[in-house]
Amino acid sequence: MQKLVLMTLILISPLAWSAEHKVKMLNQGEDGSMVFEPGYLQVEPGDTVTFVPVDQSHNTHSALSPDGGESWKGSINEKVSVTLNTEGVYIYKCLPHLSLGMVGVIQVGEATNLQAAKDKAASMKGGMAMNKDRLGQYLDQVE
Ligand SMILES: [Cu+2]
């Protein structure tokens, strides 16, 4: 009987539900060239996202996080894992390919800072020569 209670506690613990997600860094993907895939990702607080350098010469840098949220800075070709505990919208970029629109969005739980994310996207758009609309399209998927 005690065993059953313990099992139940493990099953309802939030940690038991935390998931792992992968974002690939690609030269070519479904959304075009120089791209994170998936470019928009929705996760739950406590989930872990791993950026996988499938193709060479990419990295991942957070560009906007909600207040108190996690930030990260990967080196070129570095596989980066980040556990996102703070709810909100995160924008990140590939530093060498920011001007080619290599950016991505992660929504963690509630989109608490959606307006700030939209403002940031508008300011980043000016520095892009290609795929200018990609970031806005990802933000449009935020629920
Ligand atoms: Cu890149």
Side-chain angles (χ1 to χ4, degrees), residues 11 14 34 42 83 98 111 140:
L11 286 174
M34 301 306 176
Q42 191 176 13
T83 299
L98 176 59
D140 284 345

Side-chain angles (χ1 to χ4, degrees), residues 25-27 34-36 56-59 76 93-98 102:
M25 302 189 246
L26 299 172
N27 293 343
M34 301 306 176
V35 72
F36 292 100
Q56 297 292 298
S57 75
H58 302 290
N59 74 346
I76 301 292
K93 61 194 175 188
C94 167
L95 211 55
H97 302 121
L98 176 59
M102 188 163 174

Side-chain angles (χ1 to χ4, degrees), residues 22 25 50-53 75 77-81:
K22 280 191 167 61
M25 302 189 246
T50 299
F51 296 90
V52 183
S75 304
N77 301 329
E78 186 186 354
K79 184 178 184 177
V80 173
S81 285

Side-chain angles (χ1 to χ4, degrees), residues 4-5 13 23 62 76 91 96 123 131 139:
L4 187 65
V5 170
S13 138
V23 174
S62 51
I76 301 292
I91 297 175
S123 75
N131 300 309
L139 285 174

Side-chain angles (χ1 to χ4, degrees), residues 65-99:
S65 304
D67 283 345
E70 293 73 21
S71 60
W72 60 94
K73 264 189 188 177
S75 304
I76 301 292
N77 301 329
E78 186 186 354
K79 184 178 184 177
V80 173
S81 285
V82 55
T83 299
L84 299 168
N85 295 309
T86 307
E87 291 196 299
V89 177
Y90 294 71
I91 297 175
Y92 59 90
K93 61 194 175 188
C94 167
L95 211 55
H97 302 121
L98 176 59
S99 65

Side-chain angles (χ1 to χ4, degrees), residues 15-35:
L15 272 178
W17 295 104
S18 66
E20 305 251 348
H21 307 266
K22 280 191 167 61
V23 174
K24 291 184 266 187
M25 302 189 246
L26 299 172
N27 293 343
Q28 189 69 42
E30 279 176 27
D31 295 336
S33 62
M34 301 306 176
V35 72

